[in-house]
């Protein structure tokens, strides 16, 4: 007959069970809204907010999606979000990695002050720049355009900080050896430094894509016609004054989550290591 273990092993098992239960509870709290979104999007609008809530998917998902794509130009919104997010992410990775390399491996006059200003800009809410950005876009004639959504976000301050911290770990001796062998700075950057930055670039890609994909306030200000809307703006436009088709709204939200989920699953192997790469100073 065996009883409850006592001593250090018993205490360790108790702590492990408590920690497992705590993590399971946290997972349930985090996943519960997403589970409700998946289930609720399969019901008609009149049958979503019931008590108790549905826990089994219904059969109205295709009808909600068909209504969404035919009445709200949601296909155009998906196309616009994909163009803005993909192009913006690629260009932002180029700008942030080049700026991070300059701050990490070159010493020039005012570099500390410029980098300090970039870090300080992280404390500013994005709403502060709305009015000046809108005036600039009006002056350039860029309202309702892709460049109005992509260009202002290319110099992502957190991306520059992440790439600078990560590139500091690249040995200076390796760069000096490449220079001695006759390699130019562009070749060193693209052929030697960037290939070692894959984890950090993967983390930056996820953060930048999420920021572009989920951005709502700024696109709402600069986009004026329905065919130029991105997904968050198109979903907000579904909310009527007197009534809202929540079947369309929830099915559209479900569709908007899928690209982000696929991107994270594709890059998750590099995500954590990319975040930790700049946290330890060599």
């Amino acid at each position: 007959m065996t009883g409850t273990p006592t001593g250090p092993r018993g205490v360790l098992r108790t702590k492990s069970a408590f920690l497992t239960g705590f993590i399971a509870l946290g997972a349930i709290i985090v996943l519960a809204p997403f589970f409700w979104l998946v289930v609720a999007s399969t019901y008609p609008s009149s049958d979503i907010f019931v008590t108790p809530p549905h826990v089994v998917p219904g059969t109205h998902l295709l009808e909600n999606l068909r209504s969404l794509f035919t009445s709200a130009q949601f296909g155009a919104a998906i196309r616009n979000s994909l163009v803005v997010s993909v192009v913006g992410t690629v260009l932002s990775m180029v700008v942030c990695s080049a700026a991070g390399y300059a701050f990490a491996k070159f010493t020039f006059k005012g570099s500390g002050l410029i980098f300090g200003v970039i870090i300080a800009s992280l404390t500013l809410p994005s709403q502060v720049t709305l009015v000046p950005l809108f005036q600039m876009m009006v002056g350039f004639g860029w309202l309702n355009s892709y460049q109005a959504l992509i260009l202002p976000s290319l110099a992502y301050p957190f991306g520059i900080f992440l790439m600078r911290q990560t590139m500091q770990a690249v040995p200076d001796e390796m760069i000096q050896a490449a220079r001695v062998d006759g390699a130019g700075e562009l070749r060193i950057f693209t052929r030697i430094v960037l290939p070692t930055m894959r984890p950090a670039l993967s983390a930056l890609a996820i953060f930048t894509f999420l920021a572009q994909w989920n951005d709502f306030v700024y696109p709402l200000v600069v986009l004026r016609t329905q065919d130029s809307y991105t997904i968050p703006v198109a979903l907000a436009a579904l909310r009527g004054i007197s009534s809202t088709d929540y079947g369309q709204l929830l099915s559209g939200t479900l569709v908007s989550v899928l690209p982000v989920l696929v991107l994270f699953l594709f890059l998750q192997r590099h995500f954590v290591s990319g975040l930790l790469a700049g946290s330890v100073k060599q």
Side-chain angles (χ1 to χ4, degrees), residues 135-176:
Q135 290 179 335
M136 290 174 64
M137 296 306 119
V138 172
F140 295 154
W142 284 359
L143 293 181
N144 283 327
S145 67
Y146 287 141
Q147 58 265 35
L149 299 178
I150 295 173
L151 294 182
S153 59
L154 293 188
Y156 185 31
F158 175 76
I160 296 174
F161 170 74
L162 177 65
M163 298 309 296
R164 187 251 192 188
Q165 295 301 103
T166 308
M167 288 184 178
Q168 282 184 326
V170 177
D172 293 337
E173 294 79 6
M174 186 170 66
I175 297 175
Q176 292 294 344

Side-chain angles (χ1 to χ4, degrees), residues 9-259:
R9 293 184 60 184
V11 174
L12 185 60
R13 288 184 180 182
T14 302
K15 288 183 177 179
S16 178
F18 177 78
L19 182 61
T20 302
F22 185 76
I23 293 175
L25 178 62
I28 291 173
I29 294 174
V30 171
L31 293 177
F34 183 72
F35 175 77
W36 182 83
L37 168 67
V38 174
V39 173
S41 64
T42 62
Y43 286 88
S45 182
S46 58
D47 198 23
I48 290 177
F49 300 103
V50 295
T51 304
H54 298 291
V55 293
V56 178
T59 59
H60 211 264
L61 176 61
L62 293 180
E63 190 64 29
N64 288 336
L65 291 175
R66 188 180 300 112
S67 174
L68 175 70
F69 279 86
T70 55
S71 64
Q73 297 188 22
F74 202 68
I78 293 176
R79 180 197 63 208
N80 295 333
S81 283
L82 283 175
V83 171
V84 171
S85 300
V86 173
V87 176
T89 297
V90 173
L91 294 180
S92 183
M93 290 171 66
V94 173
V95 172
C96 291
S97 58
Y101 179 61
F103 283 118
K105 296 302 177 184
F106 293 91
T107 301
F108 51 91
K109 188 175 182 180
S111 61
L113 176 62
I114 296 173
F115 187 69
V117 172
I118 292 174
I119 296 301
S121 68
L122 288 171
T123 64
L124 296 176
S126 60
Q127 290 80 2
V128 172
T129 61
L130 274 181
V131 174
L133 277 177
F134 176 75
Q135 290 179 335
M136 290 174 64
M137 296 306 119
V138 172
F140 295 154
W142 284 359
L143 293 181
N144 283 327
S145 67
Y146 287 141
Q147 58 265 35
L149 299 178
I150 295 173
L151 294 182
S153 59
L154 293 188
Y156 185 31
F158 175 76
I160 296 174
F161 170 74
L162 177 65
M163 298 309 296
R164 187 251 192 188
Q165 295 301 103
T166 308
M167 288 184 178
Q168 282 184 326
V170 177
D172 293 337
E173 294 79 6
M174 186 170 66
I175 297 175
Q176 292 294 344
R179 288 172 180 158
V180 171
D181 290 341
E185 293 300 332
L186 181 61
R187 186 180 179 86
I188 293 173
F189 176 65
T190 57
R191 300 295 181 85
I192 297 176
V193 177
L194 280 186
T196 65
M197 296 291 108
R198 288 178 183 173
L201 287 172
S202 299
L204 177 61
I206 291 177
F207 279 120
T208 309
F209 187 88
L210 279 176
Q212 293 275 12
W213 186 263
N214 294 326
D215 193 12
F216 169 67
V217 176
Y218 177 65
L220 181 66
V221 171
V222 298
L223 300 179
R224 300 304 181 87
T225 58
Q226 191 175 18
D227 61 345
S228 67
Y229 284 172
T230 56
I231 288 178
V233 181
L235 290 176
L238 291 176
R239 299 183 61 186
I241 297 176
S242 57
S243 64
T244 300
D245 189 333
Y246 286 100
Q248 286 186 11
L249 188 61
L250 293 177
S251 60
T253 305
L254 180 62
V255 171
S256 72
V257 172
L258 297 181

